[in-house]
Amino acid sequence: MPSAKYTELGAFLRSRRERIRPEDVGLVPGHRRRVAGLRREEVAQLAGASVDYYTELERGAGSQPSEQMLAALARALRLTFDERNHLFSLAARSAPPRTGAAVHVHPAMMDLLTRLTSTPALIITDLHATLVQNPLAVALLGDQSGHRGKRSSFVYRWFTDPESRRLYPAQDHATQSRAFAADLRAAAGRRDAKDTEAATMIDELLRLSPEFAALWAEHEVAFRRDDRKRIVHPSLGLLEVNCLNLFSEDGRQRLLWFTPALGTDSADALDLLAVLGTQQFDANEKR
């Protein structure tokens, strides 16, 4: 990447960092802050990067950041869509399409997620690819950030990878399969006719999963707006929760948050998530 443009990348990151107050992104301001806006280590924390790596970026040095890192920085710095595209350009990366792990999350939706500190919450695409999770969602569901391509969609993994079904008790699998198929049909129908992402995934699922093919042939259609789910946690056991959805204006993204189901013991169990964190999840275990 040309050094002059890389220097501009560092200056742009610094300017965006300095305009944000810690409380805007869910951080405690603290005392004796000597910098305007966020500190470098705070941006690194929010983006899941090392402090040294982020510092090198602001200095106009280091290696070219990946699309995933640029997307994480855009979310951490609450960049607008135009600012996100500018960031990618400065890093000599093509602005990604509205799909995949690098999809842009609207700052307002990120703000809502940041404020949901006492309940598991995450933002997903309409095809159920996880974009960002809060710490409690990671503790409840495991880290979802490691999947790429079609496997970034939980619906795709549900019908192609038996391991993904460990999240739900076996008795609930048929119900979940039917709901996922109906939701996918609703999401695909809402997309532009020229969109190929959903169609490609559906064609592959029809080829790989007889269960999906049978459900798809029934033509059921229904968005998942609110569910009562039973989730199998590796340490806390079976949890009964309400899963609520807030849709973006275009329907391409959803904010999900989980609350304990009334009449169950799940409230106390969810309170333990902050204590347990992710220590009970194997590093290779994914939702």
Side-chain angles (χ1 to χ4, degrees), residues 53-70:
Y53 177 78
Y54 179 75
T55 300
E56 288 297 294
L57 285 181
E58 278 205 5
R59 290 175 177 169
S63 59
Q64 182 187 29
S66 67
E67 288 188 359
Q68 287 72 30
M69 178 51 61
L70 291 169

Side-chain angles (χ1 to χ4, degrees), residues 16 57 79-80 82-83 91 107 123 206-207 233 241 250 256:
R16 301 304 89 181
L57 285 181
L79 301 188
T80 66
D82 290 337
E83 289 172 334
I123 298 172
L206 289 171
R207 179 171 57 85
H233 189 274
V241 297
D250 63 359
L256 277 60

Side-chain angles (χ1 to χ4, degrees), residues 73-96:
L73 289 171
R75 293 164 192 162
L77 296 170
R78 302 297 193 268
L79 301 188
T80 66
F81 188 77
D82 290 337
E83 289 172 334
R84 190 285 306 258
N85 287 348
H86 183 62
L87 177 67
F88 272 75
S89 175
L90 292 176
R93 299 279 190 188
S94 298

